């Protein structure tokens, strides 16, 4: 997936050209569509007047606007290969069917059991077939009909449960049914002011906000799959990469935009993006975005600009946890929403075997080597450390010990991070040393073993980290090094282990007991644990 970003000429942006060309550069269709129009005026040029008669090319272009967005455009074998070659790691879904799902809210639409149970149109259905998704995951079963019924949604579901497709499928399906509407006219008049090609302000129909560039890229790649053979052109913008290139890519058309909040604000302030017609808003990993301090930018984007207000636009929020701050955001952004909880929020899947071992700081490295040797050379292992320095040091150490490893953390450049991820995924470097921020939300499939070389100080972070293994029904292993420094997580860790029916070391139990007696006056807020 990330391989496409490695090409040197143009940083990968040019790879999207195929997607665009496949539905835009098709003069054969344009003309006939216009002449077959049966006397109906093409939207746009007649209404606005002014440049309608300026030449044939304009007419051809205008006439294409009237094409039916719900009909697939021509297949493109090369692009199809590129998009769908990856295949799926999602197996063993049977384990997932037992996961309890609770939907609350007025008139909640009924869930579906198969993708065929809901009308999503030709384009979506054939792309689902191409991705080889045979049936919906639990969050998809519930979220798809809710979104298709134009309801706002707050969904809590564990990592790896298939949240991305849960919002992309119904949102894209709606866009295909409804077509571009007014956004198209706005687009054109924006272009008129600014000269012939380029410099047009783009008016995306849907916006997906995500916390990190890696996650934004993943959502974008998934969107490209489901936008295949459609007239929707997905784009992605994120910080830390050349903004000029991103602007040029936007100028080629942008109907669905995936963005990190900071970069999007920048694009809006440069007049490159207008959210006036953005009728679908998705906040993915909302809890993480707040943790990273994005709330002001998110409010700036959603509340203080030109985006249609709640009730007019449709809004979907996804989060692994549901702490107070997310509840407030949901109250402010959503209208009569359905609350969907899949599994227990804050809990971990039973597909993951969790081990906690007592290891003093000085023994961590040799203990790690033992684990790595036991895991086997070719299975992917993700090692979490607390600090960027710690990540570099551990990577050096492992390298000197002869292990093929790499690292991702906040101090590494965008290119280095993408390269590291690629090397890890492809198995060239089957050990990845990571800090939490850098690794959050990444869909790294096939991770066999997650090792908490340093445990985090809060339990939500722990849940996210170990969610990197045991993805979509696969079995995984998570080992955590625990010592005196991790006292603050004791009680929550114990609860999580018990709940996921894991073996609990007796020392952890007695520590938790002691800890509770020492601090029973100031317990941590439990508002984020649902039920
Ligand atoms: P989440 O956002 O909940 O962490 P993702 O949306 O990243 O999960 O999905 C995890 C993995 O599962 C991805 O590789 C995705 O392609 C795959 N997947 C999602 N839905 C299905 C499905 N219905 N069938 C098979 N695989 C799926
Ligand atoms: Mg996700």
């Amino acid at each position: 997936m990330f391989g496409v970003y490695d090409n040197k000429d143009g940083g990968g942006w040019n790879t999207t050209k195929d997607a665009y060309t496949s539905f835009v550069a098709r003069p054969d269709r344009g003309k006939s569509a216009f002449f077959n129009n049966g006397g109906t005026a093409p939207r746009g040029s007649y209404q606005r007047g002014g440049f309608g008669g300026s030449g044939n090319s304009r007419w051809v272009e205008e006439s294409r606007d009237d094409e039916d967005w719900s009909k697939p455009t021509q297949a493109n074998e090369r692009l199809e290969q590129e998009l769908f070659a990856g295949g799926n790691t999602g197996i063993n879904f049977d384990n997932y069917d037992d996961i309890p799902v609770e939907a609350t809210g007025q008139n909640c639409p009924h869930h579906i059991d198969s993708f065929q149970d809901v009308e999503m149109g030709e384009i979506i259905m054939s792309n689902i077939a191409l991705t080889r998704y045979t049936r919906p995951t639990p969050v998809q079963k519930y979220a798809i009909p809710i979104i298709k019924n134009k309801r706002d949604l707050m969904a809590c579901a564990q990592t790896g449960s298939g949240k991305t497709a849960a919002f992309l499928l119904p949102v894209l399906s709606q866009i295909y049914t409804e077509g571009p509407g007014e956004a198209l006219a706005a687009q054109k008049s924006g272009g008129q002011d600014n000269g012939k090609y380029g410099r047009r302000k783009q008016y995306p129909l849907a916006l997906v906000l995500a916390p990190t560039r890696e996650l934004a890229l993943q959502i974008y790649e998934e969107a490209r799959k489901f936008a295949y053979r459609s007239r929707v052109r997905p784009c992605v913008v994120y910080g830390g990469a050349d903004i000029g290139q991103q602007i040029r890519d936007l100028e080629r058309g942008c109907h669905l935009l995936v963005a990190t909040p900071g970069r999007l604000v920048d694009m809006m302030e440069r007049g490159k993006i207008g959210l006036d017609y953005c009728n679908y808003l998705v906040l993915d990993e909302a809890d993480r975005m707040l943790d990273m301090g994005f709330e002001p930018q998110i409010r700036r984007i959603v509340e203080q600009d030109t985006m249609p207000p709640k009730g007019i636009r449709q809004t979907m929020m996804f989060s692994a946890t549901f702490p107070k701050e997310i509840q407030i955001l949901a109250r402010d952004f959503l209208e009569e929403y359905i609350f969907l909880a899949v599994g227990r929020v804050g809990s971990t899947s039973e597909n993951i075997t969790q081990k906690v071992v007592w290891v003093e700081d000085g023994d961590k490295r040799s203990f790690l080597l033992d684990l790595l040797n036991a895991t086997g050379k070719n299975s992917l292992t993700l090692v979490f450390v607390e600090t960027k320095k710690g990540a570099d040091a551990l990577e050096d150490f492992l390298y000197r010990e002869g292990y093929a490893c790499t690292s991702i953390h906040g101090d590494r450049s965008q290119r280095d991070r993408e390269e590291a991820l690629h090397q890890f995924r492809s198995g060239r470097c089957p050990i990845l040393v990571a800090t939490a921020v850098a690794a959050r939300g990444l869909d790294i499939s096939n991770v066999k073993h997650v090792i908490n070389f340093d445990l985090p100080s809060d339990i939500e972070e722990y849940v996210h980290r170990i969610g990197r293994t045991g993805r979509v029904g696969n079995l995984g292993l998570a080992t955590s090094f625990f010592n005196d420094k991790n006292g603050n997580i004791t009680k929550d860790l114990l609860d999580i282990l018990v709940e996921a029916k894991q073996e609990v070391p007796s020392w952890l139990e007695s520590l938790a007991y002691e800890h509770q007696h020492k601090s029973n006056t100031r317990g941590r807020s439990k508002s984020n644990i649902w039920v």
Side-chain angles (χ1 to χ4, degrees), residues 159 163-164 215 218-219 284-285 441 471:
T159 354
K163 291 188 286 285
T164 319
L215 188 63
Q218 261 169 38
I219 298 168
D284 196 18
E285 307 229 4
R471 304 273 280 169

Side-chain angles (χ1 to χ4, degrees), residues 4 30 59 76 78 104 111 144 168 178 188 192 221 233 241 279 282 290 381 403 411 413 431 435 509 520 526:
V4 297
W59 285 105
N76 174 337
R78 216 170 59 87
T104 39
H111 73 271
I144 289 173
L168 281 179
E178 286 164 11
K188 299 266 176 212
Q192 201 185 17
E221 289 299 338
R233 184 169 196 268
N279 281 319
V282 179
L290 295 195
T381 301
Y403 291 86
D411 279 353
S413 73
I431 301 167
T435 57
E509 247 166 332
N520 55 359
K526 284 282 172 208

Side-chain angles (χ1 to χ4, degrees), residues 216-262:
L217 274 167
Q218 261 169 38
I219 298 168
Y220 166 70
E221 289 299 338
E222 199 82 344
R224 285 182 71 208
K225 292 184 194 171
F226 296 118
Y228 175 57
R229 299 191 65 188
S230 80
R231 289 168 174 78
V232 165
R233 184 169 196 268
C235 286
V236 61
V237 301
Y238 49 82
D242 180 17
I243 196 164
Q245 243 165 25
Q246 292 180 357
I247 290 172
R248 281 192 293 283
D249 186 64
L250 286 177
E251 283 170 353
R252 284 147 74 185
C254 170
H255 307 108
L256 179 139
L257 178 63
V258 184
T260 54

Side-chain angles (χ1 to χ4, degrees), residues 47 85 189 200 280 288 410 469:
Q47 289 161 8
S189 59
R200 282 181 183 170
Y280 302 94
R288 188 60 186 167
T469 184

